[in-house]
Amino acid sequence: MSSSPSASRHALTLAQFKILLSAIGFGSMAILARFAYADGVSTPSLLFLRFFLAGMLLLPWVLWKKLPWPRGRALLVLIAMGSLGYAGMAACYFSGLHYASAGTIALLLYLFPAIVLVLSTLLLGERFSSRRMLALALALGGLAVTIGLELSAQPLGLLLGLTSALIYSLYILAGSRYTADCDPLTSACVVVFAAASCYGIYLAITGFHGPASLHGWLSVLGIACFGTVAALALFLSGLAKTGATQASLISTAEPVVTILLAWLLLGEPLGWSQVLGGGLILAAVVLISREARPEQVQLTELHD
């Protein structure tokens, strides 16, 4: 027996809210990372601690609740999502910062909604609606106004930024296509441990540079708890209902969160361009969240 339209709409709204909350969690990481870097933490060490601590926080809960672990193809996809997706995206993003400004790399990363929209249309058959086109234009326009684009970036920096966006797009599509039937918490656990393993191997070769004080450890723990465990579990939970395109568009609220938190906690200036750009991004989030997911589009089913 199929669920009522009101129940389906409520489930979709809840899933969209989960994606928005995940964007808030992910957006807080840049602020906490600033505090951790000030305490002497290196980028690879921070990323290793982020993923490893997140896994250690998730694992007891998963074992206590006796949640089912992913198996077969879904397990392999999740391992690839962590070791190649999360770890690879972060490596490209942070390496790109050496060759281009943070604004340029951030803007290039948040081209992922456009990439997801195109790939989901070409590969998964999602409808390329006028509403989605308008939401995409608002989101990308808002990002351009909010972050700004530094055209003097070195080509390698632009390439790394675009690669990070492409990897993240494939991560979203893989998650919506192959892991919708998996438990979000066990999925998140596999993803973060796979990513931690990659950085652990790298640090075994290059050396570990962790926090020097309690303040630094609290920052790292905040990244693991709020910016990784909560954000990742909420994203994976909402992704199955919203679909890849809606999830990626709603996630463009993340840089707005980062800018607002930087203004509140770090005293960074909040200009009119940021207010205008943030308004455009939030308008895109509202617009796409009001779209009911088409019944004929099922990202978890493969049409033979």
Side-chain angles (χ1 to χ4, degrees):
M1 180 176 179
S2 60
S3 58
S4 66
S6 60
S8 298
R9 180 63 195 177
H10 175 74
L12 179 61
T13 301
L14 179 60
Q16 292 164 344
F17 184 63
K18 289 178 179 179
I19 298 294
L20 185 59
L21 287 178
S22 75
I24 295 174
F26 286 130
S28 69
M29 284 197 301
I31 310 304
L32 294 171
R34 287 278 296 275
F35 294 132
Y37 289 149
D39 201 54
V41 183
S42 68
T43 297
S45 299
L46 175 61
L47 292 172
F48 168 76
L49 289 172
R50 172 199 174 191
F51 293 125
F52 178 74
L53 291 177
M56 295 305 294
L57 289 169
L58 279 172
L59 187 59
W61 177 260
V62 169
L63 295 177
W64 180 64
K65 297 290 289 185
K66 297 181 179 179
L67 299 175
W69 288 93
R71 297 180 179 180
R73 182 173 63 176
L75 176 61
L76 294 176
V77 169
L78 286 166
I79 293 174
M81 286 170 64
S83 58
L84 301 177
Y86 249 41
M89 185 273 289
C92 289
Y93 182 88
F94 285 100
S95 297
L97 294 175
H98 296 292
Y99 304 98
S101 69
T104 298
I105 299 300
L107 181 57
L108 291 172
L109 172 62
Y110 275 90
L111 288 173
F112 76 83
I115 299 174
V116 167
L117 193 153
V118 173
L119 291 179
S120 62
T121 300
L122 295 176
L123 302 179
L124 302 179
E126 282 204 8
R127 183 168 56 90
F128 207 79
S129 66
S130 57
R131 181 189 293 267
R132 291 186 172 192
M133 285 297 298
L134 178 57
L136 179 62
L138 288 171
L140 294 181
L143 286 168
V145 173
T146 302
I147 302 173
L149 180 62
E150 176 58 53
L151 297 178
S152 62
Q154 297 182 36
L156 180 57
L158 298 177
L159 178 61
L160 288 169
L162 287 171
T163 303
S164 69
L166 178 60
I167 292 174
Y168 194 47
S169 301
L170 295 173
Y171 171 89
I172 292 175
L173 289 171
S176 66
R177 173 64 179 83
Y178 294 107
T179 65
D181 294 330
C182 300
D183 184 272
L185 291 181
T186 54
S187 297
C189 201
V190 172
V191 167
V192 295
F193 273 128
S197 298
C198 289
Y199 283 106
I201 295 172
Y202 177 80
L203 291 174
I205 300 173
T206 62
F208 176 79
H209 301 282
S213 68
L214 178 61
H215 185 270
W217 279 109
L218 290 176
S219 300
V220 170
L221 188 60
I223 291 175
C225 290
F226 304 112
T228 304
V229 173
L232 186 56
L234 285 167
F235 186 85
L236 291 174
S237 178
L239 183 60
K241 289 290 184 182
T242 62
T245 301
Q246 277 199 23
S248 60
L249 286 170
I250 294 172
S251 294
T252 56
E254 181 183 329
V256 179
V257 173
T258 301
I259 290 170
L260 289 176
L261 289 178
W263 174 57
L264 291 172
L265 300 179
L266 301 177
E268 295 185 359
L270 182 63
W272 283 107
S273 63
Q274 294 171 323
V275 174
L276 176 59
L280 290 173
I281 292 171
L282 293 178
V285 171
V286 172
L287 181 64
I288 198 63
S289 67
R290 294 179 64 85
E291 176 193 54
R293 190 180 178 189
E295 294 297 327
Q296 69 272 24
V297 177
Q298 295 293 334
L299 294 182
T300 58
E301 294 180 2
L302 179 62
H303 300 286
D304 296 326

